[in-house]
Each structure stands twice: as structure tokens, then as C-alpha cells.
Amino acid sequence: MSLNPGVQQSRTAGGRASGGAGPPPSDGDTPQPGGSRSETPDGPPPDGAAPRARRPAPRSFAREVFLLQLVIVLLLVAAAVVALLLQTQRDTMADARHRTVAAAQSFAHAPGLLAALNGPDPTATLQPLAEEARIASGIDALIVYNLDGITLTHSDVSQLGKHVVGPYAEAAEGKAFTKTFKGALGPSVISAVPVKDASGNVVAIVSAPVTVQAVQNSVDRQFPVILASAAAAVALSAGAAALVSRRLRRQTHGLGPAEMTRMYEHHDAVLHAVREGVLITEDDGRLLLANDEARRLLDLPADAEGRPIDTLGLDPGTVRLLASDRLADDEVHLAADRLLSLNKRSTRPFGGHPTSVVTLRDTTELRALSGRAEVARERLRLLYDASAQIGSTLDVAHTAAELAEAVVPRFADIVSVELQDPVLRGDEPGGSSTELRRTALTGLAEDHPLYPVGRLIDFAPDTPMAAGVNDGRSVVEPHLTESTGWRSQDPARARQILDYGIRSLMVVPLRARGVVLGLVNFWRTEASPPFDDEDLAFAEELARRAAVCIDNARRFTREHGTAVALQRSLMPRGLPEQEALEVAHRYLPAQTGVGGDWFDVIPLPGARVALVVGDVVGHGLHAAATMGRLRIAIHNFSTLDLPPDELLSHLDDLVARIDDQDEGEDSGTTGDHTPAITGATCLYAIYDAVSGRVTAATAGHLPLAVAHPDGTVTFLRPPVSPPLGLGAGLPVETAELIVPEGSRLVLYTDGLLACRDRDRDVDVALASLGAALAGPVRPPESTCDAVVESLLTCRPDDDVALLVARTGLLAPERVAEWEVSSDPAAVGPVRRACARRLEEWGLEQIGFGTELILSELITNAVRYGAQPIRVRLLLTDTLVCEVSDGNSTAPHIRRAKDTDEGGRGLFLVAQYAQRWGTRYSSRGKTIWTSQSLSSGTTPGDEPSADALLDQWDDVEL
């Protein structure tokens, strides 16, 4: 076992003796052969010098204890062996007496003994019996004597018939005895018992001897066992002593008694002389040791050592630290009126005892500094909490309220915030105006004397508020009762403020980007200390951070207002009049601001209506502007009367070209990058009121929902197409469905389905929408309310656009159709049939113009078109004339030359029709015209064809 090198060292004695001889060996040194001493490990001594003898290490305390224990064990074992031998011998003699008495008594009272004694030959009768009894009882002999002393039985047959000499007088007198004396068998233990007849007279004596040699032999047989047991006891005791000594040597580090005494004296002196408290505690929560300084600092009782820590009257925090296994570094704890710095370390790495050492230093002089540090720490914590609380929304008034609520009551009892009116509107503050509007007030009851929230206050020039606005500096009024400047604003109200208990005021301007946005006023009542310079530094830092949040909210308010204005200008202000659908809509802006969702209802010729809904990614001005661009583009494309798939294909191509153009412009500038339109989605559906057919196409948008009159809900799912700008030339496909009259077509954006969970599966969200639409037939307005109430259980994070249209069908009597052959002679009969239908509808006033339009369109279809040729009249809020043929050649107006015989018919059509156009299908084209039914012209008032041709002579189909 290694010893402590700082304690157990070899001590050498050196030096140079006269004549070159070394000093005489001291006690304990071992002479080496030749009379020399053993050299030190450092090497041989230099030439001519006496060898240095190493003084043996002092005998350790553990070795001395071991030797002492070993000697004591040997003495105890020797004593135990002697005692055991004596006890064994004594027990053996006692056993011999007992056996002899028992054998003699048993034989003396044996049945038939008297008869054998009275017989002719007692010896022949009794000798075999006596031998059997002797062998059975384990004695040396069983002897029967008569009163004459003649031996009747004996183990030695040579003694039969001889006269025995012995102490048998007592037995002859009728008394049994046991004695030790030297008889015929040698020194023996003999028990004699009289044999009495029926009259009680002694007739013989029975004696049972056991020789002393037999007893000694019995003891000798047990002696090896005793010696073996003694040797085992010595070995076990020596081993136990060795273990104890080894543990003692480990605990004493091999020190001798003198060294241990000296070390203890040194440690005790140091422990009680240092001016630092030292405690040693056990892991079970008991105090093992406390020095004088620790007793003084903790005011410990005299019997503190050995007692549980929680019974010493210490601070609960100190008790928890001392009783736990937690380590500590310079923790400050309170003890009476002292502040103590505690350090705690465990002794486990340095020893086997589960103890901890605690040192204490008196830091009472740091109490004032600690108090200030605690105040600073609390201010920092308050500043952190306020920074996290202020600016949670981008609302100016709400941010001002958060500023007031963040510091009441932890810093001030009352806080009021006044802002300039332009800041509340989102505009830049207009100079250093002292006219501010109170925006927030916290910390007062309803009967407070301060100006209420919403009051426009024009602060007087002498007030601290005016100084804060004009000069941008903070003002502290620690004692309002001694200050007069603030009273000039409203003396009567100032008296009420003092009567209310308000005693201290601090005015701090809210400055951002070098501009004063407003003021924050901190008030304290008489129950709180007045404001000081340290409070002012904290308030200015808080106001600086709050001003940034308010300015951000102001700028957002301005941008939000601009975006709202832009969105309102771009969104449809009203739904156009049309007879095919009954429409209701809802638009809910997102919580984070204006988005890019939109919807549209676009009347198309031929009793058709286009329903549009779209969604632009993002929020703000760009999303609103993008929405406007897409909406205008769809309106432009719809005037071409394109099918849904072609319209979305053109729109996708337009978005891609716009993104390429924007990226090209941004690459050459260093300004803000314009976000791309890519990612916008759109659903375009056309409803035909004549056939009840719905044709829809989508660009990455959610499918159209159809609520049937019977309460079932289906979804018209066109083939999936990517969002706008990502088509990359992929075709857009359509889906068609004929719906019964009274069905509801529901178009919506994804914000409607993402309120509960944006990551929810689309099919699950659509099932929720279907459940909200199912059930009895409701008007579109009621349907919108039911869907919003069912699905929008929270304020959405995204815009929500919802469009519900209930379908209607055009009555058959308001539709007229004719097939036209390719013969020019067929034009007249069809024209006359159309004229008769106009008379049935009561439209004679526009008959001339209508006949002219039909004549021109049918003639051109017969001349230049292909079969099949059809003519259809539709009576809605206007009269629609449609002429279809199988040719896809587009007609257009051009200037006709003077020598041209034709080319002027389309001009006449354009003059008589309110609107006209061409739409294409897979079977050819349809030229349509629309005439107003409210025209007040009469046939006589209508201009003639010649007059019209005089105005324009350049029409060609």
C-alpha cells in the first residue's frame, strides 16, 4: 500500500566524521556486511565522504496495534486452552463418578441379586452378569463383596475369593459413597452401594471403579481437538487483527503515533485559528465538526456536533444545502444578520468517508452592494420580460397598452402613454407637436383623476410633457408636491391627482429614428419610493425598445392601410347582374394582414356565367397587387369567351412571362427583390343556364364543391394541374357536370380549411366542408353563414374567400333554335321564323335590327362556313342571337375598298348590336350578338342600312 509521500518519508542522516568514519549506527539501523551501512537510493557517496545511512521509518501506528492485538490474542488463546483442559478433566472426572454410581446402584438393586448371594455359588452366578453390566456401563470393573470382604465378582479373575481392603465401612453400615483412592486397579474413582435384604440388613457391597488413567486417556483424546481449535482461533484472530490493522493503516496513511499526534496538533491549530468557518457534515444530515469561526458565524450551540443539521436553528436554505449532496460555489446565505458565502465540496474523491466540507465567509459588508445588484438583476429581468411582451402584435394602440401593462406594478404604480395622431394612423409624426392623444392607461381604478384613454391633450409649454416632446429629453419629478411646472396644465386636476395619492412622476419620450412619436409617463403613489436617476436610466432603455415596436406597428399600419385600400380597389365592389345564378360571398382577411385571395362572377354571353376564385401566396402590398393583376388578366381573357382550360393556359403563360420580366429587372438593380407570382392558384368554372352544365378547370386549386338539392355533396375534380407559372407547357384539362336546378356551386380558398390544422389531410378537410354543406337546401347567404360558423372556429392565419352560387335554368320557352342548310335560299325562312318568335316575345321594336343581324350572320355562315349551321335565340335580360357553324375562321372588321362588293356586313351587325363576339369550340365557332331590351327605339327610328354604310364601308367577314 502506498503511503502519503508528504507525510511518510525516509529520513536520512548524513554528515562527514573525522577520519572519514561515519557516525555510529543509531537504534534500528541494520548493519551491512563488512560493517558498512546501506546507501541511500540517490547513489554512492562521493569519494572521501562517509556513506549516508538511511534512518528507518518509524514503526507505524497500525503495526503497533497489530502486534499488540496479536499478543493479546495469543494470551487469550493460551488461557482458553488451559481453562478448557481443566474443564475437560473436571468434566471427565464428574462423568466417571456419575457412571460408577449409576452402575453400582443399578447392579445393587438388580432383581435376583439377593437370590444369587444366598445361592450355593454366588460367584458363578454373578460373575457373567457383572461383566455384562461393566461392559454396558463403560466402567473398569464391577465388584461385589460380602460383609466379610471376600470378592465375589471382579474384572480381574485373579482377585476372586480374595479379601479386599478398602474404605467400605460406610457401605457396610448401609451408606453409599464415592471416593478416589488407590485400589487393586491403581488410582481409581470408586462408588460403593450396599445391598440390603428384605429386612433392610446389608448383605453385600457393590463397587464400580474407574481408574484415573482411563479418565486421563479420555482427556488426552480431546487434547488434539482443543489444540486445533486454539490454532484456528489464533489464525482467525490474527487475520481479523491484520484486516483491522490494514484498514487502520489505510486510514492513518501509515503514520506513527508521534507523527499522528503532531499532525493532529497542527490540524487542530489550523482548524481553530483560521478566520474562516469550517463545517464537516455526514451524508445523513448530521454535523460532525465545526470550528470556532463556524460556531460564531452560525451561532451554533455548544452541543452542535453530532446533532442533525435541521435542529440547529439555521436558515431553511442553508439547511437544504448542508443536508443535500449538492455542491456549491460562493452561494450567499442569510444567518441572523449576516450574509455568508458558502462553498461546499465532497470528500469522496479524497477518502472513503461519505462527508462534505463546507467553508463559510462573512460577507455582511457586501449586503448593500448585493441589494443593489438584486435591484439591477430585477430590472434586467423586467426589461427582458417587457421586451418579450411589447410588440406581440403590429397594432399601435395595442403595443402602447402592452408597454403600460409590462411595468405595472413591478416598476411603476401607474403608466400612461400618449402618441401623436399621425402615428396612430400609420403616418409620419408631424413635427414636435405637443398635442398628443392618450392611447393607454394602466394601474388606476375607474374613478381616477387622470385624462381618460382617447383624450386629445394639448400640453402646456411649462409642463414636463411639453419638454419631453419639444426637447426630446426625459424629466423626473420625484416629489410632485414640491414641483409646480406640471400643475400649469390643469391646476384643479393636479390637486385631484395629489389627493388621489400620486406623488412621483417621470416623463420619457418615445423616440425612434430621431423622431418623437409620443410620451410614456410613469407615476408612483405615496406607498412607493420616489423615482431617482437609476429609475430614469431603466425607463429610457425601456422606452427606447418600446418606441421601436411602436414605430414598426406604425409602419405596418401604414402598409396595411395601403394594402387594404389597394385590395378594396381591386376586389369586386359588387356582383354583376345576371339571371343564371343567385350568388353570395364572404371574404375574411387574415390575422397577419391583407392577403391575395379573390373571387369573381363574370357574366358571359349565351346565358352563361364564369365563377372564379384564386389565391396568391403571401400577404401585404405585393399579394394585393398580384391579385389585381391576375384578376384583370382573367377579365381580359374572359372577354375572348375562352373555355376554362384555354383561359388558364393563357394565364399560366402570362404569369411565367411576368415572373421572367420581373427577375430580369431585379437582376440589374440593388433594390428590394420583387417576389414572383409563381405559386398562385386559380379555379375557373363556367355555368350554362340553358343546359345546366358546369365546366371547370383548376391550376393547383381546391376542387369545386356541388351541393345537390337532395342534400348530397360532391366535388368536381378536374385533372390536377400545377399552380400558375409552373405549368411548363403542360396541358390544362377540364371536368364537366350537369347539375339540376337549385344546386349550389361552392368555390373557396384553402384558408377556409386550414383554420383548425394547416397540416391536416386534404381529404379530411374536404369531408368537413361536405358535412357543413350537406343537409336541407339553404339560400346562398345562409350557406355562407353555416360554412363559416362550422369551419372557422378560430381567426384564420390566411385569407378566406368563399363564393356560393345557386343555379337556375333558362325556361324552354325563352330558347329558340333552328337548323340551317347550306342553301342560300334557306336564309329567308329562318329569318321569318325568328321574326315570328320575336313577336311572340313582344320584341317587335327590335325586330328590324335583329332581322338584319341574323341575315348577315346566317348568310355569311352559309357562304363561308361549314355544316352544321345552327341559329339560337336566347331571351334573358338581353336578346342574344347566336349563329354557329363548323368553320373556325374568325371574322374581323376591316376597311373595305371602294371597289369591294362585300365586307360591310359585320359593321352593320356591330351598329345594331350592343355587344358582339366570337367563341370557339371543338365543333367550330359561334358568332353572338347581344341587344338591349330596354331600348326605346322603334322600327321607324332605327337608322337604315344605307345610312350606316355611308358612315363606314370597310366591313368584311
Side-chain angles (χ1 to χ4, degrees), residues 193-209:
V193 176
V195 179
K196 298 180 179 180
D197 57 9
S199 301
N201 297 321
V202 176
V203 296
I205 298 173
V206 178
S207 66

Side-chain angles (χ1 to χ4, degrees), residues 581-586 707-709 742-746 772-788 802-807:
L581 297 172
E582 180 186 353
V583 181
H585 62 87
R586 294 289 186 274
H708 297 273
S743 300
R744 289 164 293 167
L745 309 179
V746 182
L773 293 173
V777 178
R778 288 169 289 192
E781 288 289 343
S782 300
T783 302
C784 289
D785 294 338
V787 171
V788 170
L802 175 64
L803 185 64
V804 178
R806 184 164 61 180
T807 62

Side-chain angles (χ1 to χ4, degrees), residues 482-494:
E482 303 174 2
S483 176
T484 58
W486 71 282
R487 304 189 188 197
S488 61
Q489 176 68 30
D490 192 340
R493 190 177 294 272

Side-chain angles (χ1 to χ4, degrees), residues 445-784:
E446 295 182 358
D447 58 344
H448 63 84
L450 298 182
Y451 291 121
V453 174
R455 174 75 174 269
L456 186 63
I457 309 171
D458 188 4
F459 291 104
D462 297 335
T463 59
M465 294 76 170
V469 175
N470 295 329
D471 303 336
R473 61 183 177 88
S474 303
V475 180
V476 178
E477 296 287 355
H479 303 285
L480 292 178
T481 56
E482 303 174 2
S483 176
T484 58
W486 71 282
R487 304 189 188 197
S488 61
Q489 176 68 30
D490 192 340
R493 190 177 294 272
R495 287 192 299 271
Q496 295 176 6
I497 291 175
L498 293 177
D499 294 340
Y500 194 81
I502 300 175
R503 292 293 182 268
S504 187
L505 168 65
M506 184 164 51
V507 180
V508 181
L510 294 169
R511 181 190 295 270
R513 299 178 294 105
V515 179
V516 176
L517 306 177
L519 299 173
V520 54
N521 302 319
F522 302 92
W523 310 77
R524 282 183 180 174
T525 62
E526 54 191 357
S528 301
F531 290 111
D532 54 21
D533 292 339
E534 293 184 359
D535 296 329
L536 178 61
F538 168 78
E540 288 178 338
E541 176 63 22
L542 179 64
R544 183 185 65 80
R545 300 190 181 191
V548 174
C549 296
I550 292 176
D551 188 58
N552 290 337
R554 178 196 64 79
R555 297 172 66 181
F556 173 78
T557 301
R558 180 182 60 185
E559 180 181 346
H560 181 74
T562 305
V564 169
L566 177 61
Q567 186 190 44
R568 288 177 178 175
S569 66
L570 297 176
M571 287 286 287
R573 299 186 179 181
L575 298 179
E577 295 183 1
Q578 43 80 34
E579 295 183 359
L581 297 172
E582 180 186 353
V583 181
H585 62 87
R586 294 289 186 274
Y587 177 79
L588 301 176
Q591 185 176 6
T592 55
V594 176
D597 293 10
W598 87 94
F599 61 89
D600 250 323
V601 178
I602 305 174
L604 298 176
R608 294 175 304 125
V609 179
L611 301 176
V612 189
V613 67
D615 185 2
V616 177
V617 177
H619 298 86
L621 285 173
H622 177 264
T626 302
M627 177 269 293
R629 298 169 77 178
L630 295 179
R631 181 169 177 261
I632 292 173
I634 292 176
H635 271 270
N636 291 334
F637 288 137
S638 66
T639 58
L640 301 177
D641 208 354
L642 298 175
D645 54 344
E646 293 186 22
L647 186 143
L648 290 183
S649 296
H650 286 294
L651 188 64
D652 177 76
D653 181 65
L654 175 64
V655 169
R657 285 188 283 110
I658 291 176
D659 285 343
D660 292 340
Q661 180 182 357
D662 291 342
E663 291 179 1
E665 293 177 355
D666 291 336
S667 62
T669 63
T670 58
D672 295 337
H673 176 70
T674 302
I677 303 177
T678 301
T681 63
C682 182
L683 172 64
Y684 189 87
I686 295 178
Y687 173 69
D688 188 347
V690 176
S691 62
R693 184 185 305 276
V694 179
T695 305
T698 178
H701 204 81
L702 295 170
L704 170 72
V706 181
H708 297 273
D710 59 0
T712 61
V713 178
T714 60
F715 290 91
L716 184 60
R717 300 176 184 266
V720 178
S721 297
L724 298 175
L726 300 176
L730 296 176
V732 178
E733 302 182 46
T734 60
E736 293 184 353
L737 177 67
I738 297 178
V739 297
E741 186 176 10
S743 300
R744 289 164 293 167
L745 309 179
V746 182
L747 291 80
Y748 50 92
T749 57
D750 58 355
L752 181 68
L753 307 180
C755 179
R756 296 179 180 176
D757 184 5
R758 180 165 290 275
D759 298 329
R760 186 170 52 161
D761 186 78
V762 175
D763 292 334
V764 176
L766 293 179
S768 300
L769 175 60
L773 293 173
V777 178
R778 288 169 289 192
E781 288 289 343
S782 300
T783 302
C784 289

Side-chain angles (χ1 to χ4, degrees), residues 46-125:
D47 296 340
R52 291 176 295 176
R54 179 163 56 184
R55 187 176 180 182
R59 179 174 296 172
S60 67
F61 180 70
R63 179 185 291 182
E64 293 183 357
V65 171
F66 173 72
L67 294 176
L68 179 60
Q69 289 178 330
L70 188 59
V71 171
I72 293 175
V73 167
L74 291 175
L75 292 178
L76 291 177
V77 170
V81 169
V82 172
L84 187 60
L85 289 175
L86 294 177
Q87 181 66 30
T88 302
Q89 186 173 11
R90 183 169 61 252
D91 292 342
T92 305
M93 292 295 292
D95 180 68
R97 293 189 183 95
H98 294 159
R99 285 189 290 131
T100 56
V101 170
Q105 289 282 2
S106 298
F107 200 81
H109 296 88
L113 179 60
L114 292 176
L117 290 174
N118 295 324
D121 190 358
T123 299
T125 304

